[in-house]
Amino acid sequence: MKQYRIGDFAEQMGVSIDFIKYYEEKGLLSSWKDPKNRYHYYPFHQASTVMQILYFRSLGYNVKEIYDLLHNMDEEACF
């Protein structure tokens, strides 16, 4: 599975590193931290989450609402 360092991931997604850090802090994105070099790596599938966050933000949703929407979508996908 392809994984990207935070700067590369942010650049590919057209967002800032602060955007990625903020939404990871809020529990909407997740990364893997390499214990050797302490870099954070983001798997490619997180790109769809970034796109969903951007979409919901454009509709005026706040972080709490986006969190709820994304987690409800995950639960519905399980059924």
Side-chain angles (χ1 to χ4, degrees):
M1 175 187 322
K2 181 74 173 166
Q3 297 196 21
Y4 299 88
R5 286 181 35 193
I6 189 169
D8 296 332
F9 186 65
E11 182 179 342
Q12 291 296 317
M13 296 307 305
V15 298
S16 68
I17 291 173
D18 288 339
F19 176 99
I20 301 295
K21 287 180 180 180
Y22 177 76
Y23 285 101
E24 183 171 9
E25 178 183 300
K26 297 300 182 183
L28 296 172
L29 296 172
S30 60
S31 65
W32 173 78
K33 187 175 179 181
D34 187 330
K36 294 178 186 174
N37 62 21
R38 301 179 51 110
Y39 292 140
H40 286 249
Y41 291 91
Y42 295 83
F44 180 73
H45 70 79
Q46 291 285 289
S48 64
T49 304
V50 171
M51 297 304 292
Q52 289 173 322
I53 291 168
L54 291 169
Y55 173 70
F56 290 134
R57 279 181 41 166
S58 74
L59 296 175
Y61 290 102
N62 64 37
V63 176
K64 171 75 169 94
E65 293 168 326
I66 295 171
Y67 180 91
D68 291 343
L69 286 165
L70 292 178
H71 283 83
N72 286 336
M73 290 172 68
D74 290 343
E75 290 174 10
E76 289 175 9
C78 293
F79 296 106

